[in-house]
Amino acid sequence: VLVAGFGLILLVSGIRSRKARLGLLTNGRVTTGTVDEVETRNVRVNNQQGYLAKVTFYDGKQQTQATTAVYGLTGERLCEMTGESVSVLYDPQNPSYFVLATQLATNVNFRI
């Protein structure tokens, strides 16, 4: 019962995450933002260093400052871009949910 409950929690969170990403890609809007700060995280995914990027952008109504997780070479490049402009794809219903355009255009390599 415990394993089934844990599996159900993972399934529901995966479906919600997938729905949010699909909504972002179908209904998202593109704008220009400014990289405020990039922090190195203690997380590695597929042997790639994790970073947390704080970005400020205008969502059509107000200035929004939000964070997104980036990994590997994209994060390393962002560390050098503090204070510079970047393209942002954000969800108009939830502007704090966004991805950087470079995240969409970057090849991701998985190692098994």
Side-chain angles (χ1 to χ4, degrees):
V1 173
L2 183 63
V3 173
F6 184 67
L8 182 64
I9 290 170
L10 289 175
L11 178 68
V12 169
S13 66
I15 289 171
R16 291 181 68 195
S17 174
R18 180 90 168 166
K19 185 178 177 184
R21 286 274 181 183
L22 183 60
L24 180 64
L25 292 174
T26 56
N27 302 322
R29 297 206 175 119
V30 178
T31 189
T32 302
T34 304
V35 179
D36 296 326
E37 180 182 353
V38 181
E39 298 176 11
T40 303
R41 299 173 64 194
N42 293 329
V43 176
R44 294 182 76 85
V45 175
N46 293 324
N47 205 23
Q48 296 180 4
Q49 180 65 48
Y51 299 89
L52 193 62
K54 291 184 183 178
V55 179
T56 302
F57 58 91
Y58 182 71
D59 68 7
K61 298 176 187 171
Q62 62 185 5
Q63 288 288 107
T64 300
Q65 183 180 40
T67 59
T68 187
V70 293
Y71 298 93
L73 197 55
T74 303
E76 290 174 20
R77 289 181 184 152
L78 279 178
C79 287
E80 300 167 358
M81 295 180 64
T82 303
E84 294 185 25
S85 297
V86 291
S87 295
V88 174
L89 178 65
Y90 71 95
D91 184 354
Q93 272 72 32
N94 181 12
S96 64
Y97 183 66
F98 74 99
V99 294
L100 301 170
T102 55
Q103 288 176 283
L104 298 174
T106 305
N107 291 335
V108 177
N109 297 320
F110 293 100
R111 282 198 270 165
I112 297 175

